[in-house]
Amino acid sequence: AQSVTQPDIHITVSEGASLELRCNYSYGATPYLFWYVQSPGQGLQLLLKYFSGDTLVQGIKGFEAEFKRSQSSFNLRKPSVHWSDAAEYFCAVGVYSGGGADGLTFGKGTHLIIQP
Amino acid sequence: DVKVTQSSRYLVKRTGEKVFLECVQDMDHENMFWYRQDPGLGLRLIYFSYDVKMKEKGDIPEGYSVSREKKERFSLILESASTNQTSMYLCASSSRTESSYNSPLHFGNGTRLTVT
């Protein structure tokens, strides 16, 4: 079965600084990878996704992520964070089983705190 | 834009009550999902459905059941609520007409259930 690890439970970054959130997955084949963001009191919003092709994918709100097969990683980055980026971030992996929709497997999340 | 609506934002129920959580999506999506979200545990899949009257168990189905009588509506049922079911419940939907069965999930804003 697939799994997702987000090693950092909390990360604190100063406003304007760069950000990298780590995500490692475990799966035997090429997975489908996603990053979601959850603002307080809200549902999850898709930031970006990777299925195939270019390993650097661009998402909304200035985020990007890079798929590295050799490291089984899909880290999320942003060159300059804004206070509004404070939220919970989830990495997720999906697999195609051929039998229908199996949903996604989520990491436990990384809580991002922005310092003024 | 896809809209996934969960009928209640907050619910307080007593132990032993039968509880219904309702979810409606307006984008004609085939797939619908129920997750629960707990601090430190991330999102865990309870049940999903890829068609009307079809349902599949997720990772933590015990104590729950679901109903999908219409394509747009997916209900989560707690037959006899218990205090360990106090949680945030998130409904999601996705399309099967995209290139992959693992198309992005679109989430509702969640229902925070407290069982006393």
Side-chain angles (χ1 to χ4, degrees), chain A residues 12-48:
Chain A
T12 300
V13 177
S14 297
E15 190 169 15
S18 63
L19 170 70
E20 182 169 31
L21 301 183
R22 296 184 290 164
C23 172
N24 294 97
Y25 67 89
S26 174
Y27 182 59
T30 300
Y32 301 88
L33 295 161
F34 307 84
W35 274 99
Y36 284 84
V37 61
Q38 184 181 34
S39 298
Q42 302 295 315
L44 277 69
Q45 181 184 21
L46 179 69
L47 283 175
L48 46 77

mmCIF file of all heavy atoms in Angstrom, chain A residues 12-48:
data_model
loop_
_atom_site.group_PDB
_atom_site.id
_atom_site.type_symbol
_atom_site.label_atom_id
_atom_site.label_comp_id
_atom_site.label_asym_id
_atom_site.label_seq_id
_atom_site.Cartn_x
_atom_site.Cartn_y
_atom_site.Cartn_z
ATOM 1 N N THR A 12 8.210 27.238 10.950
ATOM 2 C CA THR A 12 8.053 28.684 11.128
ATOM 3 C C THR A 12 8.992 29.397 10.173
ATOM 4 O O THR A 12 10.189 29.099 10.135
ATOM 5 C CB THR A 12 8.370 29.097 12.570
ATOM 6 O OG1 THR A 12 7.482 28.412 13.460
ATOM 7 C CG2 THR A 12 8.172 30.597 12.737
ATOM 8 N N VAL A 13 8.426 30.328 9.407
ATOM 9 C CA VAL A 13 9.185 31.061 8.400
ATOM 10 C C VAL A 13 8.862 32.539 8.536
ATOM 11 O O VAL A 13 7.708 32.904 8.806
ATOM 12 C CB VAL A 13 8.812 30.561 6.988
ATOM 13 C CG1 VAL A 13 9.541 31.355 5.927
ATOM 14 C CG2 VAL A 13 9.149 29.086 6.852
ATOM 15 N N SER A 14 9.854 33.363 8.331
ATOM 16 C CA SER A 14 9.614 34.805 8.349
ATOM 17 C C SER A 14 8.962 35.248 7.047
ATOM 18 O O SER A 14 9.246 34.696 5.970
ATOM 19 C CB SER A 14 10.931 35.559 8.531
ATOM 20 O OG SER A 14 11.516 35.249 9.773
ATOM 21 N N GLU A 15 8.092 36.241 7.149
ATOM 22 C CA GLU A 15 7.450 36.765 5.957
ATOM 23 C C GLU A 15 8.499 37.276 4.977
ATOM 24 O O GLU A 15 9.434 37.981 5.363
ATOM 25 C CB GLU A 15 6.473 37.885 6.317
ATOM 26 C CG GLU A 15 5.587 38.312 5.155
ATOM 27 C CD GLU A 15 4.452 39.223 5.579
ATOM 28 O OE1 GLU A 15 4.514 39.749 6.711
ATOM 29 O OE2 GLU A 15 3.518 39.413 4.785
ATOM 30 N N GLY A 16 8.349 36.888 3.718
ATOM 31 C CA GLY A 16 9.306 37.259 2.689
ATOM 32 C C GLY A 16 10.406 36.238 2.468
ATOM 33 O O GLY A 16 11.110 36.291 1.456
ATOM 34 N N ALA A 17 10.570 35.320 3.387
ATOM 35 C CA ALA A 17 11.595 34.280 3.242
ATOM 36 C C ALA A 17 11.088 33.176 2.326
ATOM 37 O O ALA A 17 9.894 33.069 2.033
ATOM 38 C CB ALA A 17 11.969 33.719 4.608
ATOM 39 N N SER A 18 12.013 32.335 1.893
ATOM 40 C CA SER A 18 11.640 31.211 1.041
ATOM 41 C C SER A 18 11.152 30.053 1.908
ATOM 42 O O SER A 18 11.422 29.971 3.112
ATOM 43 C CB SER A 18 12.833 30.760 0.197
ATOM 44 O OG SER A 18 13.867 30.294 1.046
ATOM 45 N N LEU A 19 10.429 29.145 1.246
ATOM 46 C CA LEU A 19 9.791 28.038 1.959
ATOM 47 C C LEU A 19 10.022 26.738 1.195
ATOM 48 O O LEU A 19 9.956 26.708 -0.044
ATOM 49 C CB LEU A 19 8.283 28.278 2.061
ATOM 50 C CG LEU A 19 7.421 27.115 2.559
ATOM 51 C CD1 LEU A 19 7.683 26.882 4.046
ATOM 52 C CD2 LEU A 19 5.957 27.395 2.296
ATOM 53 N N GLU A 20 10.284 25.673 1.939
ATOM 54 C CA GLU A 20 10.266 24.338 1.350
ATOM 55 C C GLU A 20 9.620 23.394 2.347
ATOM 56 O O GLU A 20 10.073 23.255 3.491
ATOM 57 C CB GLU A 20 11.658 23.835 0.977
ATOM 58 C CG GLU A 20 11.610 22.447 0.320
ATOM 59 C CD GLU A 20 12.937 22.034 -0.304
ATOM 60 O OE1 GLU A 20 13.995 22.453 0.198
ATOM 61 O OE2 GLU A 20 12.909 21.296 -1.311
ATOM 62 N N LEU A 21 8.555 22.721 1.913
ATOM 63 C CA LEU A 21 7.883 21.715 2.727
ATOM 64 C C LEU A 21 8.183 20.350 2.119
ATOM 65 O O LEU A 21 7.998 20.146 0.920
ATOM 66 C CB LEU A 21 6.371 21.963 2.750
ATOM 67 C CG LEU A 21 5.916 23.315 3.285
ATOM 68 C CD1 LEU A 21 4.399 23.387 3.325
ATOM 69 C CD2 LEU A 21 6.490 23.583 4.670
ATOM 70 N N ARG A 22 8.582 19.439 2.976
ATOM 71 C CA ARG A 22 9.037 18.142 2.486
ATOM 72 C C ARG A 22 7.910 17.105 2.446
ATOM 73 O O ARG A 22 7.022 17.098 3.301
ATOM 74 C CB ARG A 22 10.171 17.629 3.367
ATOM 75 C CG ARG A 22 11.421 18.495 3.314
ATOM 76 C CD ARG A 22 12.528 17.880 4.142
ATOM 77 N NE ARG A 22 12.244 17.944 5.579
ATOM 78 C CZ ARG A 22 12.893 17.222 6.485
ATOM 79 N NH1 ARG A 22 13.830 16.365 6.116
ATOM 80 N NH2 ARG A 22 12.597 17.351 7.776
ATOM 81 N N CYS A 23 8.010 16.244 1.449
ATOM 82 C CA CYS A 23 7.047 15.156 1.301
ATOM 83 C C CYS A 23 7.767 13.968 0.682
ATOM 84 O O CYS A 23 8.425 14.103 -0.353
ATOM 85 C CB CYS A 23 5.891 15.577 0.401
ATOM 86 S SG CYS A 23 4.762 14.227 -0.035
ATOM 87 N N ASN A 24 7.657 12.818 1.324
ATOM 88 C CA ASN A 24 8.199 11.577 0.777
ATOM 89 C C ASN A 24 7.080 10.561 0.654
ATOM 90 O O ASN A 24 6.209 10.482 1.510
ATOM 91 C CB ASN A 24 9.309 11.023 1.667
ATOM 92 C CG ASN A 24 10.523 11.926 1.683
ATOM 93 O OD1 ASN A 24 10.702 12.736 2.591
ATOM 94 N ND2 ASN A 24 11.342 11.813 0.664
ATOM 95 N N TYR A 25 7.110 9.814 -0.412
ATOM 96 C CA TYR A 25 6.055 8.834 -0.624
ATOM 97 C C TYR A 25 6.660 7.454 -0.758
ATOM 98 O O TYR A 25 7.856 7.294 -1.054
ATOM 99 C CB TYR A 25 5.242 9.187 -1.875
ATOM 100 C CG TYR A 25 6.039 9.050 -3.151
ATOM 101 C CD1 TYR A 25 6.082 7.845 -3.846
ATOM 102 C CD2 TYR A 25 6.782 10.121 -3.632
ATOM 103 C CE1 TYR A 25 6.838 7.707 -4.985
ATOM 104 C CE2 TYR A 25 7.539 9.986 -4.774
ATOM 105 C CZ TYR A 25 7.567 8.786 -5.452
ATOM 106 O OH TYR A 25 8.325 8.654 -6.574
ATOM 107 N N SER A 26 5.805 6.474 -0.591
ATOM 108 C CA SER A 26 6.214 5.093 -0.768
ATOM 109 C C SER A 26 5.198 4.429 -1.668
ATOM 110 O O SER A 26 4.012 4.354 -1.331
ATOM 111 C CB SER A 26 6.275 4.362 0.581
ATOM 112 O OG SER A 26 6.530 2.987 0.385
ATOM 113 N N TYR A 27 5.693 4.002 -2.829
ATOM 114 C CA TYR A 27 4.823 3.300 -3.783
ATOM 115 C C TYR A 27 5.700 2.663 -4.829
ATOM 116 O O TYR A 27 6.733 3.211 -5.192
ATOM 117 C CB TYR A 27 3.815 4.259 -4.417
ATOM 118 C CG TYR A 27 2.869 3.583 -5.372
ATOM 119 C CD1 TYR A 27 2.043 2.549 -4.939
ATOM 120 C CD2 TYR A 27 2.812 3.944 -6.705
ATOM 121 C CE1 TYR A 27 1.191 1.900 -5.818
ATOM 122 C CE2 TYR A 27 1.957 3.309 -7.591
ATOM 123 C CZ TYR A 27 1.148 2.288 -7.140
ATOM 124 O OH TYR A 27 0.305 1.650 -7.999
ATOM 125 N N GLY A 28 5.296 1.516 -5.330
ATOM 126 C CA GLY A 28 6.148 0.759 -6.223
ATOM 127 C C GLY A 28 6.236 1.285 -7.628
ATOM 128 O O GLY A 28 7.181 0.997 -8.351
ATOM 129 N N ALA A 29 5.263 2.059 -8.044
ATOM 130 C CA ALA A 29 5.265 2.580 -9.417
ATOM 131 C C ALA A 29 5.206 4.109 -9.346
ATOM 132 O O ALA A 29 5.315 4.694 -8.278
ATOM 133 C CB ALA A 29 4.068 2.029 -10.174
ATOM 134 N N THR A 30 5.048 4.720 -10.499
ATOM 135 C CA THR A 30 4.942 6.179 -10.512
ATOM 136 C C THR A 30 3.607 6.588 -9.933
ATOM 137 O O THR A 30 2.560 6.187 -10.438
ATOM 138 C CB THR A 30 5.073 6.718 -11.944
ATOM 139 O OG1 THR A 30 6.346 6.332 -12.456
ATOM 140 C CG2 THR A 30 4.965 8.227 -11.930
ATOM 141 N N PRO A 31 3.640 7.365 -8.902
ATOM 142 C CA PRO A 31 2.382 7.758 -8.275
ATOM 143 C C PRO A 31 1.819 9.036 -8.881
ATOM 144 O O PRO A 31 2.472 9.708 -9.675
ATOM 145 C CB PRO A 31 2.809 8.019 -6.834
ATOM 146 C CG PRO A 31 4.200 8.576 -6.994
ATOM 147 C CD PRO A 31 4.811 7.875 -8.192
ATOM 148 N N TYR A 32 0.619 9.329 -8.518
ATOM 149 C CA TYR A 32 0.018 10.621 -8.798
ATOM 150 C C TYR A 32 0.138 11.425 -7.512
ATOM 151 O O TYR A 32 -0.271 10.964 -6.455
ATOM 152 C CB TYR A 32 -1.440 10.451 -9.205
ATOM 153 C CG TYR A 32 -1.616 9.577 -10.418
ATOM 154 C CD1 TYR A 32 -1.733 8.198 -10.287
ATOM 155 C CD2 TYR A 32 -1.654 10.120 -11.686
ATOM 156 C CE1 TYR A 32 -1.882 7.386 -11.398
ATOM 157 C CE2 TYR A 32 -1.803 9.314 -12.810
ATOM 158 C CZ TYR A 32 -1.909 7.946 -12.655
ATOM 159 O OH TYR A 32 -2.040 7.159 -13.757
ATOM 160 N N LEU A 33 0.684 12.617 -7.573
ATOM 161 C CA LEU A 33 1.035 13.375 -6.374
ATOM 162 C C LEU A 33 0.324 14.717 -6.350
ATOM 163 O O LEU A 33 0.155 15.369 -7.391
ATOM 164 C CB LEU A 33 2.547 13.584 -6.318
ATOM 165 C CG LEU A 33 3.364 12.308 -6.161
ATOM 166 C CD1 LEU A 33 4.806 12.520 -6.567
ATOM 167 C CD2 LEU A 33 3.275 11.800 -4.731
ATOM 168 N N PHE A 34 -0.053 15.122 -5.156
ATOM 169 C CA PHE A 34 -0.821 16.348 -4.983
ATOM 170 C C PHE A 34 -0.323 17.086 -3.735
ATOM 171 O O PHE A 34 0.136 16.479 -2.772
ATOM 172 C CB PHE A 34 -2.318 16.035 -4.771
ATOM 173 C CG PHE A 34 -2.929 15.167 -5.827
ATOM 174 C CD1 PHE A 34 -2.816 13.788 -5.764
ATOM 175 C CD2 PHE A 34 -3.637 15.724 -6.863
ATOM 176 C CE1 PHE A 34 -3.404 12.980 -6.734
ATOM 177 C CE2 PHE A 34 -4.220 14.927 -7.844
ATOM 178 C CZ PHE A 34 -4.105 13.560 -7.776
ATOM 179 N N TRP A 35 -0.496 18.393 -3.763
ATOM 180 C CA TRP A 35 -0.374 19.218 -2.569
ATOM 181 C C TRP A 35 -1.680 19.992 -2.390
ATOM 182 O O TRP A 35 -2.193 20.607 -3.346
ATOM 183 C CB TRP A 35 0.779 20.221 -2.672
ATOM 184 C CG TRP A 35 2.104 19.683 -2.247
ATOM 185 C CD1 TRP A 35 3.111 19.213 -3.052
ATOM 186 C CD2 TRP A 35 2.593 19.559 -0.898
ATOM 187 N NE1 TRP A 35 4.188 18.813 -2.288
ATOM 188 C CE2 TRP A 35 3.900 19.018 -0.977
ATOM 189 C CE3 TRP A 35 2.062 19.859 0.359
ATOM 190 C CZ2 TRP A 35 4.674 18.770 0.172
ATOM 191 C CZ3 TRP A 35 2.834 19.615 1.480
ATOM 192 C CH2 TRP A 35 4.123 19.079 1.384
ATOM 193 N N TYR A 36 -2.167 19.943 -1.144
ATOM 194 C CA TYR A 36 -3.363 20.684 -0.771
ATOM 195 C C TYR A 36 -3.022 21.632 0.368
ATOM 196 O O TYR A 36 -2.139 21.373 1.179
ATOM 197 C CB TYR A 36 -4.468 19.736 -0.288
ATOM 198 C CG TYR A 36 -5.182 18.978 -1.377
ATOM 199 C CD1 TYR A 36 -4.662 17.797 -1.886
ATOM 200 C CD2 TYR A 36 -6.393 19.439 -1.881
ATOM 201 C CE1 TYR A 36 -5.327 17.099 -2.876
ATOM 202 C CE2 TYR A 36 -7.072 18.743 -2.874
ATOM 203 C CZ TYR A 36 -6.535 17.580 -3.360
ATOM 204 O OH TYR A 36 -7.199 16.890 -4.345
ATOM 205 N N VAL A 37 -3.800 22.719 0.452
ATOM 206 C CA VAL A 37 -3.655 23.661 1.558
ATOM 207 C C VAL A 37 -5.009 23.794 2.256
ATOM 208 O O VAL A 37 -6.067 23.770 1.615
ATOM 209 C CB VAL A 37 -3.149 25.035 1.067
ATOM 210 C CG1 VAL A 37 -4.110 25.667 0.076
ATOM 211 C CG2 VAL A 37 -2.914 25.972 2.248
ATOM 212 N N GLN A 38 -4.947 23.896 3.580
ATOM 213 C CA GLN A 38 -6.167 24.066 4.366
ATOM 214 C C GLN A 38 -6.010 25.283 5.268
ATOM 215 O O GLN A 38 -5.219 25.258 6.216
ATOM 216 C CB GLN A 38 -6.447 22.826 5.202
ATOM 217 C CG GLN A 38 -7.755 22.900 5.974
ATOM 218 C CD GLN A 38 -7.998 21.658 6.822
ATOM 219 O OE1 GLN A 38 -7.064 21.057 7.337
ATOM 220 N NE2 GLN A 38 -9.255 21.252 6.953
ATOM 221 N N SER A 39 -6.765 26.306 4.975
ATOM 222 C CA SER A 39 -6.783 27.482 5.845
ATOM 223 C C SER A 39 -7.690 27.194 7.029
ATOM 224 O O SER A 39 -8.565 26.326 6.952
ATOM 225 C CB SER A 39 -7.277 28.697 5.067
ATOM 226 O OG SER A 39 -6.396 28.974 3.999
ATOM 227 N N PRO A 40 -7.495 27.910 8.133
ATOM 228 C CA PRO A 40 -8.289 27.633 9.336
ATOM 229 C C PRO A 40 -9.791 27.650 9.061
ATOM 230 O O PRO A 40 -10.319 28.584 8.456
ATOM 231 C CB PRO A 40 -7.875 28.772 10.277
ATOM 232 C CG PRO A 40 -6.498 29.135 9.837
ATOM 233 C CD PRO A 40 -6.479 28.956 8.351
ATOM 234 N N GLY A 41 -10.464 26.595 9.493
ATOM 235 C CA GLY A 41 -11.917 26.519 9.350
ATOM 236 C C GLY A 41 -12.408 26.215 7.947
ATOM 237 O O GLY A 41 -13.608 26.267 7.687
ATOM 238 N N GLN A 42 -11.495 25.872 7.064
ATOM 239 C CA GLN A 42 -11.872 25.632 5.672
ATOM 240 C C GLN A 42 -11.596 24.188 5.265
ATOM 241 O O GLN A 42 -10.903 23.451 5.963
ATOM 242 C CB GLN A 42 -11.079 26.567 4.743
ATOM 243 C CG GLN A 42 -11.264 28.035 5.031
ATOM 244 C CD GLN A 42 -12.691 28.487 4.778
ATOM 245 O OE1 GLN A 42 -13.290 28.142 3.757
ATOM 246 N NE2 GLN A 42 -13.238 29.271 5.690
ATOM 247 N N GLY A 43 -12.151 23.824 4.111
ATOM 248 C CA GLY A 43 -11.791 22.544 3.530
ATOM 249 C C GLY A 43 -10.439 22.639 2.855
ATOM 250 O O GLY A 43 -9.734 23.634 2.969
ATOM 251 N N LEU A 44 -10.059 21.605 2.149
ATOM 252 C CA LEU A 44 -8.764 21.570 1.484
ATOM 253 C C LEU A 44 -8.876 22.101 0.060
ATOM 254 O O LEU A 44 -9.833 21.795 -0.653
ATOM 255 C CB LEU A 44 -8.224 20.137 1.429
ATOM 256 C CG LEU A 44 -7.505 19.630 2.673
ATOM 257 C CD1 LEU A 44 -8.455 19.426 3.834
ATOM 258 C CD2 LEU A 44 -6.761 18.339 2.351
ATOM 259 N N GLN A 45 -7.881 22.880 -0.329
ATOM 260 C CA GLN A 45 -7.827 23.436 -1.670
ATOM 261 C C GLN A 45 -6.604 22.887 -2.382
ATOM 262 O O GLN A 45 -5.498 22.869 -1.822
ATOM 263 C CB GLN A 45 -7.754 24.964 -1.600
ATOM 264 C CG GLN A 45 -7.713 25.645 -2.961
ATOM 265 C CD GLN A 45 -7.537 27.148 -2.855
ATOM 266 O OE1 GLN A 45 -7.074 27.678 -1.850
ATOM 267 N NE2 GLN A 45 -7.895 27.856 -3.907
ATOM 268 N N LEU A 46 -6.788 22.474 -3.624
ATOM 269 C CA LEU A 46 -5.676 21.925 -4.396
ATOM 270 C C LEU A 46 -4.703 23.028 -4.791
ATOM 271 O O LEU A 46 -5.101 24.046 -5.366
ATOM 272 C CB LEU A 46 -6.211 21.240 -5.655
ATOM 273 C CG LEU A 46 -5.166 20.634 -6.576
ATOM 274 C CD1 LEU A 46 -4.508 19.428 -5.912
ATOM 275 C CD2 LEU A 46 -5.786 20.233 -7.905
ATOM 276 N N LEU A 47 -3.418 22.826 -4.481
ATOM 277 C CA LEU A 47 -2.380 23.761 -4.894
ATOM 278 C C LEU A 47 -1.776 23.369 -6.242
ATOM 279 O O LEU A 47 -1.578 24.216 -7.112
ATOM 280 C CB LEU A 47 -1.250 23.799 -3.863
ATOM 281 C CG LEU A 47 -1.485 24.575 -2.569
ATOM 282 C CD1 LEU A 47 -0.296 24.388 -1.635
ATOM 283 C CD2 LEU A 47 -1.728 26.043 -2.851
ATOM 284 N N LEU A 48 -1.459 22.085 -6.385
ATOM 285 C CA LEU A 48 -0.855 21.603 -7.617
ATOM 286 C C LEU A 48 -0.893 20.082 -7.638
ATOM 287 O O LEU A 48 -1.158 19.453 -6.621
ATOM 288 C CB LEU A 48 0.590 22.108 -7.774
ATOM 289 C CG LEU A 48 1.528 22.024 -6.574
ATOM 290 C CD1 LEU A 48 2.055 20.627 -6.345
ATOM 291 C CD2 LEU A 48 2.680 22.999 -6.737
#
